[in-house]
Amino acid sequence: MTCSQQTTDGIAFQHSKAIANPEFHLDVLDELTYEAEVEGGVPLASDPDNRYPYAYPRDIASITRAWLTAIRHDVRPTECLNRILESARFMIAVEDDGRWYQRYALDGTEQGIYRQEDNVAHGIRIIAHAVVALETVTGLEAADEAFLSAAVEAIDAAVAHARRDLYDANAHLIESTTSIHEGAIESGYTLWVNCAFLAGFRQALDAFERIDAATNIAVDAERDHIEEFLNRLEPGVKRCFAVDDVPVPRRFTPDGERDDRPDITLLAPTYFDLEDLFGDQAIRAAERAAAGLEDPRLGGLQRFRGFHRDHEVHQHGGTGPWMQYTAWHAQYRYDRGELDRGDDVLSTIVSHADDDGFIPEHLSTRDRFEQFRAREWNTGVDFDKEFDPDVLRDVPFDRVVEELESMRRAYDGMAEALEESEVIAFAAPLAWCHAEFLTALLKRANE
């Protein structure tokens, strides 16, 4: 049934009311989930014929989080459990030393271009989600001990890698080159990366406690490794990012300079449930992101301010709102009991969905795209930003060429679409967007 600006339970819809049903988004995620040629099966970022025919640990972590939230709300619990377990098995199969990277093909081969150290934390979170889902649905007493043992080993390897290779003992922080943003905007010591690792370690510790209580699998040494690391990292994060009466910075640059510019990653303390560490600073950071990044024309939240002369800023076809991050904003509002405000945010996302209810990754406009193409794409500036040697991994140049060709096709498609519309949407449906929208809907149910 198609509606025109009707309202159901406080959310305005221009498309099918099905988008307000959590099961609609589970169906979309099912359509984007594929059996792997190694162990398990995983959701790809989007349709494999689209720009992103890969499995991204960051995306998978958000999707398993959504599936776990659905389990807790008794929405298809058995199906969601199986999906989470298959994703965890895939993550365990593709790396045996805890060094998860940007993205993987279904045959298990690593296909990343950027370093994106936060994927180590996301791998830990995915496996921890599986342990919690198992306990919630079936109980760990009946669980496959071989899987649980492999989960403990995989998490312990990731913790050891992070402690040995990513932690700067002098700065008391995890250091990164890129993560949720692909370029140098993430180089140094970022709020997002450090929050992701704190969340991953905390979730792993919780998973080990559950395993210890319900099985005979030994986890004492692995638990000690996490606790020792947390005792180092938490005070470092607090003293750098959660200082009273000082705005939470999005990062410290590699040479230690504070970067206070508004950024979507200011939602990290609330997204990762770290309010106990950040206190009121978590709320102030989230409010600063919501106020500073709202798109004045399209609504929704941009990733960061789009000043094109900043070498660290990638405009990606023109600045605009990103729907998965806008859904974070809705989750934040619902967590605070701000039902009407959350509904307004979700209504903005719905207004940008296509006729099938599919949610795109992000949007741009004709004038923004044309400026991007004239200033950045045609001049080669975008190439210099996107493939900055300082943030690339040591990968075959053919992989860079493949990515560049995908970008060219996407931008050619945008140019054609903008002949008929003032607004263009990227990559619909995007699994990550539907996962975050689903999580927002379920959080809304709590209110």
Side-chain angles (χ1 to χ4, degrees), residues 213-233:
T215 75
N216 293 319
I217 297 172
V219 297
D220 289 347
E222 293 83 358
R223 183 166 47 198
D224 289 346
H225 296 158
I226 297 174
E227 289 177 342
E228 187 271 339
F229 200 169
L230 274 174
N231 287 337
R232 294 170 182 259
L233 185 58

mmCIF file of all heavy atoms in Angstrom, residues 213-233:
data_model
loop_
_atom_site.group_PDB
_atom_site.id
_atom_site.type_symbol
_atom_site.label_atom_id
_atom_site.label_comp_id
_atom_site.label_asym_id
_atom_site.label_seq_id
_atom_site.Cartn_x
_atom_site.Cartn_y
_atom_site.Cartn_z
ATOM 1 N N ALA A 213 30.735 -19.124 32.851
ATOM 2 C CA ALA A 213 29.648 -19.506 33.749
ATOM 3 C C ALA A 213 28.875 -20.728 33.262
ATOM 4 O O ALA A 213 28.288 -21.455 34.066
ATOM 5 C CB ALA A 213 28.679 -18.333 33.919
ATOM 6 N N ALA A 214 28.898 -20.988 31.961
ATOM 7 C CA ALA A 214 28.014 -22.023 31.415
ATOM 8 C C ALA A 214 28.733 -23.225 30.826
ATOM 9 O O ALA A 214 28.085 -24.224 30.502
ATOM 10 C CB ALA A 214 27.115 -21.406 30.335
ATOM 11 N N THR A 215 30.058 -23.155 30.653
ATOM 12 C CA THR A 215 30.780 -24.250 30.006
ATOM 13 C C THR A 215 32.039 -24.587 30.787
ATOM 14 O O THR A 215 32.387 -23.912 31.767
ATOM 15 C CB THR A 215 31.185 -23.869 28.557
ATOM 16 O OG1 THR A 215 32.288 -22.955 28.594
ATOM 17 C CG2 THR A 215 30.021 -23.229 27.814
ATOM 18 N N ASN A 216 32.743 -25.591 30.306
ATOM 19 C CA ASN A 216 34.021 -25.980 30.905
ATOM 20 C C ASN A 216 35.212 -25.428 30.126
ATOM 21 O O ASN A 216 36.351 -25.843 30.357
ATOM 22 C CB ASN A 216 34.116 -27.507 30.973
ATOM 23 C CG ASN A 216 33.101 -28.098 31.939
ATOM 24 O OD1 ASN A 216 32.874 -27.563 33.021
ATOM 25 N ND2 ASN A 216 32.481 -29.217 31.529
ATOM 26 N N ILE A 217 34.958 -24.513 29.216
ATOM 27 C CA ILE A 217 36.032 -23.927 28.417
ATOM 28 C C ILE A 217 36.808 -22.934 29.277
ATOM 29 O O ILE A 217 36.220 -22.043 29.899
ATOM 30 C CB ILE A 217 35.447 -23.220 27.174
ATOM 31 C CG1 ILE A 217 34.741 -24.242 26.279
ATOM 32 C CG2 ILE A 217 36.535 -22.494 26.399
ATOM 33 C CD1 ILE A 217 33.969 -23.630 25.134
ATOM 34 N N ALA A 218 38.130 -23.094 29.308
ATOM 35 C CA ALA A 218 38.976 -22.223 30.127
ATOM 36 C C ALA A 218 39.138 -20.866 29.454
ATOM 37 O O ALA A 218 39.510 -20.780 28.276
ATOM 38 C CB ALA A 218 40.343 -22.870 30.332
ATOM 39 N N VAL A 219 38.842 -19.817 30.200
ATOM 40 C CA VAL A 219 38.978 -18.455 29.655
ATOM 41 C C VAL A 219 39.749 -17.540 30.604
ATOM 42 O O VAL A 219 39.853 -16.338 30.348
ATOM 43 C CB VAL A 219 37.584 -17.834 29.376
ATOM 44 C CG1 VAL A 219 36.833 -18.616 28.307
ATOM 45 C CG2 VAL A 219 36.761 -17.736 30.651
ATOM 46 N N ASP A 220 40.313 -18.077 31.676
ATOM 47 C CA ASP A 220 40.940 -17.230 32.689
ATOM 48 C C ASP A 220 42.071 -16.396 32.112
ATOM 49 O O ASP A 220 42.143 -15.177 32.354
ATOM 50 C CB ASP A 220 41.474 -18.090 33.839
ATOM 51 C CG ASP A 220 40.354 -18.667 34.692
ATOM 52 O OD1 ASP A 220 39.201 -18.209 34.540
ATOM 53 O OD2 ASP A 220 40.623 -19.585 35.493
ATOM 54 N N ALA A 221 42.959 -17.004 31.365
ATOM 55 C CA ALA A 221 44.104 -16.267 30.819
ATOM 56 C C ALA A 221 43.635 -15.215 29.821
ATOM 57 O O ALA A 221 44.105 -14.067 29.840
ATOM 58 C CB ALA A 221 45.078 -17.235 30.156
ATOM 59 N N GLU A 222 42.700 -15.592 28.949
ATOM 60 C CA GLU A 222 42.198 -14.659 27.944
ATOM 61 C C GLU A 222 41.462 -13.488 28.603
ATOM 62 O O GLU A 222 41.581 -12.335 28.160
ATOM 63 C CB GLU A 222 41.269 -15.386 26.982
ATOM 64 C CG GLU A 222 41.958 -16.427 26.112
ATOM 65 C CD GLU A 222 42.146 -17.771 26.800
ATOM 66 O OE1 GLU A 222 41.778 -17.882 27.987
ATOM 67 O OE2 GLU A 222 42.664 -18.695 26.152
ATOM 68 N N ARG A 223 40.727 -13.771 29.665
ATOM 69 C CA ARG A 223 40.029 -12.714 30.397
ATOM 70 C C ARG A 223 41.032 -11.768 31.037
ATOM 71 O O ARG A 223 40.851 -10.545 31.014
ATOM 72 C CB ARG A 223 39.121 -13.338 31.446
ATOM 73 C CG ARG A 223 38.273 -12.343 32.223
ATOM 74 C CD ARG A 223 37.162 -13.057 32.982
ATOM 75 N NE ARG A 223 37.670 -14.223 33.708
ATOM 76 C CZ ARG A 223 36.893 -15.205 34.162
ATOM 77 N NH1 ARG A 223 35.603 -15.182 33.966
ATOM 78 N NH2 ARG A 223 37.422 -16.215 34.822
ATOM 79 N N ASP A 224 42.115 -12.309 31.583
ATOM 80 C CA ASP A 224 43.152 -11.472 32.188
ATOM 81 C C ASP A 224 43.795 -10.554 31.157
ATOM 82 O O ASP A 224 44.108 -9.393 31.460
ATOM 83 C CB ASP A 224 44.229 -12.343 32.837
ATOM 84 C CG ASP A 224 43.744 -13.032 34.102
ATOM 85 O OD1 ASP A 224 42.681 -12.637 34.625
ATOM 86 O OD2 ASP A 224 44.435 -13.968 34.552
ATOM 87 N N HIS A 225 43.981 -11.054 29.939
ATOM 88 C CA HIS A 225 44.578 -10.233 28.879
ATOM 89 C C HIS A 225 43.710 -9.012 28.586
ATOM 90 O O HIS A 225 44.209 -7.899 28.407
ATOM 91 C CB HIS A 225 44.749 -11.066 27.608
ATOM 92 C CG HIS A 225 45.703 -12.198 27.742
ATOM 93 N ND1 HIS A 225 45.678 -13.298 26.905
ATOM 94 C CD2 HIS A 225 46.716 -12.422 28.636
ATOM 95 C CE1 HIS A 225 46.630 -14.140 27.268
ATOM 96 N NE2 HIS A 225 47.265 -13.638 28.308
ATOM 97 N N ILE A 226 42.403 -9.225 28.511
ATOM 98 C CA ILE A 226 41.488 -8.107 28.236
ATOM 99 C C ILE A 226 41.463 -7.129 29.399
ATOM 100 O O ILE A 226 41.541 -5.902 29.198
ATOM 101 C CB ILE A 226 40.071 -8.633 27.950
ATOM 102 C CG1 ILE A 226 40.065 -9.508 26.697
ATOM 103 C CG2 ILE A 226 39.094 -7.466 27.767
ATOM 104 C CD1 ILE A 226 38.736 -10.182 26.422
ATOM 105 N N GLU A 227 41.342 -7.632 30.605
ATOM 106 C CA GLU A 227 41.266 -6.744 31.771
ATOM 107 C C GLU A 227 42.523 -5.907 31.905
ATOM 108 O O GLU A 227 42.453 -4.708 32.212
ATOM 109 C CB GLU A 227 41.023 -7.567 33.027
ATOM 110 C CG GLU A 227 39.618 -8.168 33.107
ATOM 111 C CD GLU A 227 39.418 -9.040 34.330
ATOM 112 O OE1 GLU A 227 40.438 -9.468 34.931
ATOM 113 O OE2 GLU A 227 38.248 -9.303 34.685
ATOM 114 N N GLU A 228 43.674 -6.516 31.655
ATOM 115 C CA GLU A 228 44.931 -5.765 31.744
ATOM 116 C C GLU A 228 44.978 -4.650 30.708
ATOM 117 O O GLU A 228 45.408 -3.528 30.989
ATOM 118 C CB GLU A 228 46.103 -6.731 31.551
ATOM 119 C CG GLU A 228 47.480 -6.118 31.797
ATOM 120 C CD GLU A 228 48.080 -5.493 30.551
ATOM 121 O OE1 GLU A 228 47.653 -5.844 29.430
ATOM 122 O OE2 GLU A 228 48.976 -4.628 30.702
ATOM 123 N N PHE A 229 44.494 -4.954 29.498
ATOM 124 C CA PHE A 229 44.499 -3.955 28.431
ATOM 125 C C PHE A 229 43.499 -2.842 28.741
ATOM 126 O O PHE A 229 43.788 -1.648 28.585
ATOM 127 C CB PHE A 229 44.194 -4.629 27.099
ATOM 128 C CG PHE A 229 44.610 -3.842 25.888
ATOM 129 C CD1 PHE A 229 44.591 -4.432 24.640
ATOM 130 C CD2 PHE A 229 45.031 -2.526 25.968
ATOM 131 C CE1 PHE A 229 44.965 -3.727 23.508
ATOM 132 C CE2 PHE A 229 45.417 -1.808 24.839
ATOM 133 C CZ PHE A 229 45.376 -2.417 23.605
ATOM 134 N N LEU A 230 42.317 -3.237 29.175
ATOM 135 C CA LEU A 230 41.310 -2.224 29.506
ATOM 136 C C LEU A 230 41.797 -1.287 30.604
ATOM 137 O O LEU A 230 41.522 -0.076 30.575
ATOM 138 C CB LEU A 230 40.013 -2.901 29.938
ATOM 139 C CG LEU A 230 39.025 -3.295 28.838
ATOM 140 C CD1 LEU A 230 37.874 -4.086 29.418
ATOM 141 C CD2 LEU A 230 38.510 -2.063 28.104
ATOM 142 N N ASN A 231 42.520 -1.819 31.568
ATOM 143 C CA ASN A 231 43.035 -0.983 32.655
ATOM 144 C C ASN A 231 44.046 0.040 32.159
ATOM 145 O O ASN A 231 44.299 1.046 32.846
ATOM 146 C CB ASN A 231 43.668 -1.864 33.734
ATOM 147 C CG ASN A 231 42.638 -2.618 34.541
ATOM 148 O OD1 ASN A 231 41.481 -2.217 34.615
ATOM 149 N ND2 ASN A 231 43.036 -3.743 35.126
ATOM 150 N N ARG A 232 44.607 -0.193 30.999
ATOM 151 C CA ARG A 232 45.510 0.786 30.386
ATOM 152 C C ARG A 232 44.762 1.764 29.485
ATOM 153 O O ARG A 232 45.004 2.966 29.500
ATOM 154 C CB ARG A 232 46.591 0.075 29.563
ATOM 155 C CG ARG A 232 47.575 -0.759 30.365
ATOM 156 C CD ARG A 232 48.433 -1.609 29.428
ATOM 157 N NE ARG A 232 49.355 -2.455 30.180
ATOM 158 C CZ ARG A 232 50.643 -2.184 30.349
ATOM 159 N NH1 ARG A 232 51.150 -1.085 29.837
ATOM 160 N NH2 ARG A 232 51.419 -3.009 31.021
ATOM 161 N N LEU A 233 43.853 1.199 28.669
ATOM 162 C CA LEU A 233 43.228 2.011 27.627
ATOM 163 C C LEU A 233 42.151 2.942 28.175
ATOM 164 O O LEU A 233 42.071 4.106 27.744
ATOM 165 C CB LEU A 233 42.640 1.093 26.547
ATOM 166 C CG LEU A 233 42.041 1.789 25.321
ATOM 167 C CD1 LEU A 233 43.073 2.666 24.622
ATOM 168 C CD2 LEU A 233 41.481 0.741 24.344
#
